[in-house]
Amino acid sequence: MAPKRTTVRDLRRQNRSTLLSMLFFDGPLSRYELAGRSGLSAATVSTVTGEMVDEGLVVEAGSVDSDGGRPRVLLRVNPDFGHVIGVDVGETGIKVELFDLALTQLAALDHALSPSSPSAVASLIASSVRDVVDAAGVPASTVLGVGIGVPGTVEQGATAVVHAPTIGWDGVRLEELVADASESAWPLYVENGAKTQGQAEMWFGAGRGAKHVVIALIGSGVGAAVVTDGGVYRGATSSAGEWGHTTIVYGGRPCRCGALGCLEAYVGAEGILDRYRKARGRALTGVDEQSTVAALIEAAAGSKTAARVLEETAGYLGAGIANLVNLFNPERIVLGGWAGQALGAHQLDRIVAATRAHALRHPYEQISIELGHLGPDAVAVGAATLPVAALLDRAADPRKLAVRADIA
Amino acid sequence: MAPKRTTVRDLRRQNRSTLLSMLFFDGPLSRYELAGRSGLSAATVSTVTGEMVDEGLVVEAGSVDSDGGRPRVLLRVNPDFGHVIGVDVGETGIKVELFDLALTQLAALDHALSPSSPSAVASLIASSVRDVVDAAGVPASTVLGVGIGVPGTVEQGATAVVHAPTIGWDGVRLEELVADASESAWPLYVENGAKTQGQAEMWFGAGRGAKHVVIALIGSGVGAAVVTDGGVYRGATSSAGEWGHTTIVYGGRPCRCGALGCLEAYVGAEGILDRYRKARGRALTGVDEQSTVAALIEAAAGSKTAARVLEETAGYLGAGIANLVNLFNPERIVLGGWAGQALGAHQLDRIVAATRAHALRHPYEQISIELGHLGPDAVAVGAATLPVAALLDRAADPRKLAVRADIA
DNA sequence: TAGACTAATTTTAAGTCGCAAACTAAGGTC
DNA sequence: GACCTTAGTTTGCGACTTAAAATTAGTCTA
């Protein structure tokens, strides 16, 4: 059982973490402001920040006048304290990006990838990570960790286990595989790609500032990242948020998961296009799903059928969102994913109206529905936030004593 | 903003709370066992428990042999340290019960109540609370707090605001009303009745020992209490878990909430009976909903129509449960509420099968589905746990400095 | 240009906390 | 009754936060 005790040491770690997180999220702040915001005494702020400055974690960043007295010295997280890497394992390729601690991208790599064995993917990840470090020209020793977003559920445990039916993975111990394929021993953080994308929206996108958010992601598949009390909600075995496979039409359209009437079968890109094909009698043509959906949206101006299919889609989607509202009672819904943003750009009013029609009045009144600010590219940045989150949480180099139980 | 700092005083409070909670939930324990379980040193356990014994919060409770050495002295929470009161505000009456700290019932009162103004209900609560204290013969000064379960959503804030459409309450500041109607200044804890019932299942019923549980409650209405990481999940404004009004059949049966296709319209008692009436052409007779549903279940042995309606009900319910499984990924589902337990007793296999059919394999494999151990009576005990939870959380008399932000 | 003044940090001294180690208590065994 | 074993207490210490005092780094005034 986890130790439930609290010792004096935990105090310092907790307070370091609080102050470091404030500096990270709320930009440069003086010690004085830190004291005010944190509730800590000026003395403590001084000693704690002093420590972090000595360690190179925090640096001074100019100063601002304070009417009449000693100017305030601004502190901020040292962007060069270390670097983090985010990996987006997609269904058709992997992206590897390297960032500094301010999450500024310093290098990026893309690899197309036909469906391959888990160990082949793991090797590719390991070598690409190596490559991106070389490409960025940063010393290997400054890499604090590697976050990996995968298209499937991830069981967090002693080692992360991935279940990703769309790429044929079932019980893949990706963390072990990548670790075995790498020479370096950087901490690895494997997480569901929807959750990393959600994390990115929370840190840099439409979720900023809110504590209870559901990020609805609609692409080929449909998923959601649920943020409760500021942290990503995982559930008992980290597979929470499988919104796409909730039943919205009992006994309805067959879904690729095998069940009937899943939301994904109606509002997933494939479901939308298939419904159009059935209604119209023939399919739209497009080089890929994404452009076909775009063509459908454009066609809606002239085609009654296209317009009706999209209208219905907005209805289903609104009902699906209303389910999230009723169950999670968030303060904000962020509509993301490439199809979600495309639909939202043309149909947001209708989607909102359908949500209102299906949600209870009280929780509905609490929410705002917004489009995501980031595209699917955000999976990699989101993955890169994982080692940063570990750093903020421990307020210490995550490579040391990497107890990675709850990354939040 | 809440103070984010952690001071050395918080340590003691935290550790007191840990030890007190262990004693409460895991029965009498010796200091030695407490040290082992908590990870605290024997020295700290000794001083902390010493304090709590001095304060009367904890008492010694015999001793047990330890092979060969000094016997272990058992400690337990002093059941007579104080008393707590639970109030169940139902649609047809209120129940008020008084318990000692071991949640042993010492007195109970029932009042029928025709739909009345909030302030009339508040007065009745205030006077009944007074009465139950007199009936139990305990000194008023020993009452640590009063928990109130209400049939609607409760916005927790500076003062609890209740929205309960079924009894015509909209924005009722019940906490203020009751406080104004009482002479005593006992801390009040107002909470949704489904959540208090869920809390009772967690502490004493089918939820014991689990950390991620959804308690599905089916009666006339349908709701759920979601427990994540051991605490009741509330969402941004405490109206999370409105499972009954999630859409399960898009465009389906009208629900009393105004929307179409809500789960409640299919598996709520009224919905079941109405579906039977429509299928059969005539209604079953019964003195009330509860006995009518019982009659329907009995009729299923002979009547094809009744059997089919129940079968369909199991299907809808399974799909609804699957949605909970996919979204919350709990480790356990508890099926409660009078109708839920009645259905579960006769149809559990079918419900489980329908759940499996609609849930994703991976999260499905994590769960066990169980019948609730407690009936709807549990609302009052559940409400009474609220002041106890406050006591355990603060490890101090909740009447002092009652900061009731997060009761968990 | 030297005080005087103001406001941000740092230093100092005090009090709390948990812990390891030494110590005491309470039983059993031979 | 000497000795062993185990439970619980006391003691001394290092780590931590804090209030208060001291210091620092500017601006303003005369």
Side-chain angles (χ1 to χ4, degrees), chain A residues 5 31-32 43 46 67-70 72-73:
Chain A
R5 68 175 180 181
R31 295 172 232 265
Y32 178 78
S46 186
D67 32 29
R70 177 175 176 173
R72 305 177 181 179
V73 176

Side-chain angles (χ1 to χ4, degrees), chain A residues 173-253:
Chain A
R173 304 166 87 79
L174 185 66
E175 191 174 337
E176 276 179 12
L177 293 177
V178 174
D180 290 348
S182 324
E183 307 106 62
S184 333
W186 294 314
L188 301 175
Y189 305 82
V190 181
E191 180 58 286
N192 168 267
K195 292 197 176 74
T196 68
Q197 194 176 340
Q199 175 99 325
E201 285 284 358
M202 291 305 295
W203 282 27
F204 314 112
R208 283 207 73 148
K211 300 198 64 176
H212 290 90
V213 181
V214 180
I215 295 122
L217 295 166
I218 303 173
S220 290
V222 173
V226 180
V227 173
T228 64
D229 264 323
V232 173
Y233 178 69
R234 287 204 174 77
T237 56
S238 323
S239 55
E242 283 292 348
W243 183 48
H245 300 286
T246 56
T247 303
I248 191 101
V249 185
Y250 185 82
R253 288 169 55 83

Side-chain angles (χ1 to χ4, degrees), chain A residues 280-306:
Chain A
R280 184 64 191 249
R282 62 185 162 84
L284 270 170
T285 51
V287 293
D288 57 12
E289 257 181 1
Q290 199 156 342
S291 56
T292 317
V293 168
L296 176 66
I297 289 174
E298 225 163 284
S303 152
K304 283 238 162 111
T305 311

